[in-house]
Amino acid sequence: MNAFAPRTPHAQGHARVAADELLRAELTELLPPPPAPEPEPGLRHTVLRTALAGDGPGRRPSPARRSGFRLARIAAPVAACAVVAGVAVFALQETPAGGPDRPQVGQRAPGGAGQVLARAALAAAAAPAPDVRADGYVYVRSLVAHAGRAASGGATTLPAVHRREVWLSADGSRAGLLREPGAADVELGARAPVYELDHRGATPRKTTIDVAPPSVTHPTHAYVATLPTDPDALLRLIRTETGRAGGDTDQRAFTAIGTLLAETWAPPKVTAALYEAAARIPGVTVLPSAKDAAGREGVAVARTSDSGAQTQWIFDRATSAFLGERTVLTEATSAGPAGTVLGVSAVLTKAAATAPGELPGAARA
């Protein structure tokens, strides 16, 4: 874990208060707003269907939630937590990791972190190219667990790891599928269904919202294949597209790259460039040991936010293959004491499929 300089009790108290306030503020953004006065006649209210719940009433759903990209992953690029069925699901913070030893933008991560990412880039460059057809699907099978607590408060708990399967349309033109045990299948469509009200008490009318065009935060397989293979150009693009929402561009870039690594199947040169781009993000460090959701142990690179949430990417020691992610508190916050695991994942299979719901041969075992 990252080392922290000793603080006086007074400074520690202020740091904890600031971190807790950040967590509460980001949670508040996702909670439903307080009751509003009766709207003016003709005012339209869009109420998302249950499958799109979590963005808050009246808010346009994010491209990630409309496409299913990064759905149910702990390392969500936006928001500290979401409230679903009375349970708060924690995700990454968006604040930067500070400190005098941060490398300058454009430089490689120092020491071990840069070496780990360089080895991962070499391994990725030598990997076979994806064989997904333009009219096919990318299938990703993983194990995930997300920490949560009751909306009324209490201790944060991490449930048992469960399987997650997703089928994503290669060009984004057809509906995909999200499948998790104990839950109904979720269709990941190119057009998100919503219900609209012309006024309070009116009968809801079903309509759709078009998804955003392909981007770093709303990628398709076809789009990812066109990303720059020059690490500096790639990092500039990622910072530009993820920085539009505000906050710390370095943290947003790191989490966006993690999502691309975990839930897309990029060409070898693009994957290698993603690792090299990550090595240029300030605040990236190395951890000698970490375990993914499947219990596989490896070496990790990590980045810690000011609120104390550390994102870890875990790599196989022998092959340098990406295994999964882990999110851990490095200091006490309202979510729990230092060492609390907020989420964990493990990528098991990436393969080509011809239809949503179809299991590729490599995933049938």
Side-chain angles (χ1 to χ4, degrees):
M1 307 298 282
N2 284 5
F4 290 87
R7 299 173 178 170
T8 65
H10 183 70
Q12 288 178 336
H14 279 295
R16 291 194 183 96
V17 169
D20 289 353
E21 287 179 351
L22 178 58
L23 285 169
R24 285 194 294 270
E26 292 185 343
L27 172 60
T28 300
E29 290 182 358
L30 292 181
L31 289 173
E38 181 70 25
E40 295 295 329
L43 180 63
R44 300 174 70 197
H45 295 273
T46 300
V47 182
L48 300 180
R49 67 172 184 173
T50 301
L52 298 177
D55 282 299
R59 290 178 60 183
R60 184 181 178 90
S62 66
R65 205 172 281 275
R66 289 197 300 268
S67 69
F69 181 71
R70 208 179 177 84
L71 184 64
R73 296 188 63 240
I74 187 64
V78 184
C81 50
V83 175
V84 182
V87 176
V89 181
F90 287 88
L92 285 183
Q93 305 297 310
E94 296 306 323
T95 49
D101 296 329
R102 288 178 56 185
Q104 296 299 311
V105 176
Q107 293 182 342
R108 289 184 56 83
Q115 294 172 4
V116 171
L117 290 168
R119 289 194 295 268
L122 288 173
D131 57 354
V132 182
R133 296 181 348 193
D135 60 350
Y137 291 79
V138 173
Y139 170 82
V140 181
R141 181 177 182 178
S142 58
L143 297 176
V144 299
H146 317 100
R149 62 181 174 185
S152 58
T156 298
T157 58
L158 188 71
V161 169
H162 67 272
R163 186 179 71 254
R164 178 175 184 271
E165 296 174 288
V166 64
W167 289 260
L168 301 173
S169 171
D171 62 6
S173 66
R174 291 166 299 281
L177 184 69
L178 170 68
R179 178 172 292 168
E180 295 180 288
D185 287 354
V186 177
E187 183 179 274
L188 309 176
R191 295 173 64 86
V194 298
Y195 290 90
E196 293 184 336
L197 301 178
D198 290 325
H199 56 82
R200 183 169 294 181
T203 301
R205 293 184 292 101
K206 187 175 182 179
T207 183
T208 59
I209 294 179
D210 290 333
V211 298
S215 66
V216 167
T217 55
H218 180 217
T220 63
H221 181 70
Y223 172 82
V224 171
T226 68
L227 288 175
T229 55
D230 175 77
D232 292 315
L234 180 56
L235 184 56
R236 284 195 298 270
L237 173 64
I238 292 171
R239 281 205 176 109
T240 297
E241 296 202 2
T242 58
R244 293 168 183 164
D248 175 54
T249 56
D250 289 333
Q251 187 69 16
R252 288 185 179 277
F254 190 77
T255 55
I257 291 173
T259 300
L260 292 169
L261 293 172
E263 293 211 339
T264 68
W265 196 8
K269 290 185 178 180
V270 173
T271 303
L274 287 170
Y275 290 127
E276 291 286 355
R280 288 160 168 76
I281 296 176
V284 179
T285 59
V286 65
L287 299 176
S289 180
K291 288 185 178 180
D292 69 4
R296 298 175 297 189
E297 191 274 343
V299 63
V301 296
R303 194 175 193 277
T304 305
S305 70
D306 275 351
S307 59
Q310 183 181 80
T311 309
Q312 305 169 2
W313 300 346
I314 306 165
F315 296 91
D316 184 279
R317 292 183 184 279
T319 66
S320 293
F322 180 86
L323 299 180
E325 292 184 349
R326 205 164 166 261
T327 306
V328 181
L329 289 179
T330 58
E331 60 185 62
T333 73
S334 62
T340 299
V341 179
L342 300 183
V344 63
S345 68
V347 179
L348 303 181
T349 301
K350 291 183 182 181
T354 58
E358 174 196 80
L359 286 179
R364 290 174 186 162

